[in-house]
């Protein structure tokens, strides 16, 4: 009987693993729900890239919906999503605000010169302190904020054309 004990332990662990996999099958385990959805965007006052004496806050962005796109020159996935963000900004579907996260001004400017600047405005959070209130833990992350300043949607990871079509555009339609 003692010889079979490791086999029973292994079978019990395998059964627990199988139960967990079956229980979560079909669920999007990459989705990270944001506690900000349906709540006012966190208050912030951040400098504008290229003009640190000018500060922009969430109150300055009220009146029209906007997409807050968190990026950094150090972020490889941001490079992947940049053409999609550029196309979205060019389409005029929503104004796009860049949120340069944990980056130096020089690196951010160089990156935008190299890949293009699709943003209506770029705010800078070099120390990453304002990001804590937004629940930002990396880049890219993207938030849709309505005209009244309420967060309506969040996406973690690079925005793809499929995400735009299947998630973002329907959310924008709800705002009309």
């Amino acid at each position: 009987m003692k010889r079979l004990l490791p086999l029973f332990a292994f079978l019990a662990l395998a059964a627990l693993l199988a139960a967990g996999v079956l229980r979560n099958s079909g669920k999007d385990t990459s989705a990270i729900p944001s506690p900000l959805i349906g709540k006012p965007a966190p208050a912030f006052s951040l400098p504008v890239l290229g003009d640190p004496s000018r500060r922009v806050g969430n109150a300055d962005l009220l009146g029209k919906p906007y997409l807050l796109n968190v990026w950094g020159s150090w972020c490889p996935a941001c490079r992947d999503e940049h053409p999609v963000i550029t196309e979205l900004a060019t389409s005029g579907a929503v104004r796009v605000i860049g949120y340069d996260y944990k980056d130096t001004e020089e690196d951010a400017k160089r990156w935008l010169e190299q890949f293009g600047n699709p943003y209506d405005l770029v705010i800078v959070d070099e120390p990453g302190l304002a990001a804590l209130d937004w629940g930002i833990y990396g880049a890219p992350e993207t938030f849709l904020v309505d005209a009244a300043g309420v967060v309506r949607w969040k996406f973690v990871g690079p925005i793809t054309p499929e995400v735009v079509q299947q998630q973002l555009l329907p959310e924008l339609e709800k705002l009309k």
Side-chain angles (χ1 to χ4, degrees):
M1 187 64 170
K2 285 184 179 179
R3 295 177 113 188
L4 295 176
L5 190 58
L7 176 64
F8 290 136
F10 173 76
L11 290 174
L13 285 174
L16 281 173
L17 178 64
V21 168
L22 288 173
R23 189 170 179 202
N24 286 313
S25 68
K27 292 182 182 174
D28 182 6
T29 57
S30 68
I32 301 172
S34 173
L36 293 177
I37 304 298
K39 296 182 180 160
F44 66 89
S45 177
L46 292 169
V48 173
L49 183 66
D51 186 2
S53 65
R54 180 177 166 216
R55 297 185 74 80
V56 170
N58 53 324
D60 300 314
L61 300 174
L62 296 176
K64 288 173 54 177
Y66 63 92
L67 202 65
L68 186 71
N69 179 242
V70 181
W71 65 278
S73 66
W74 48 265
C75 166
C78 297
R79 181 184 280 193
D80 295 338
E81 90 167 350
H82 197 69
V84 178
I85 296 296
T86 300
E87 185 177 324
L88 186 61
T90 304
S91 77
V94 64
R95 70 184 163 148
V96 183
I97 307 298
Y99 187 111
D100 186 29
Y101 177 62
K102 291 190 174 184
D103 211 353
T104 67
E105 182 174 347
E106 298 78 30
D107 288 344
K109 284 180 174 179
R110 186 174 28 255
W111 196 86
L112 289 173
E113 285 172 12
Q114 183 178 359
F115 299 107
N117 185 352
Y119 303 110
D120 286 0
L121 174 76
V122 177
I123 54 177
V124 179
D125 188 5
E126 189 171 345
L129 296 177
L132 296 173
D133 293 334
W134 283 86
I136 296 168
Y137 64 91
E141 291 187 28
T142 306
F143 298 83
L144 176 63
V145 181
D146 70 15
V150 175
V151 177
R152 296 297 173 187
W153 178 78
K154 178 183 180 183
F155 188 81
V156 176
I159 299 283
T160 64
E162 294 78 22
V163 169
V164 170
Q165 290 299 317
Q166 296 168 8
Q167 294 183 39
L168 179 58
L169 292 180
E171 289 296 324
L172 283 169
E173 275 300 311
K174 291 179 191 176
L175 299 181
K176 291 183 179 177

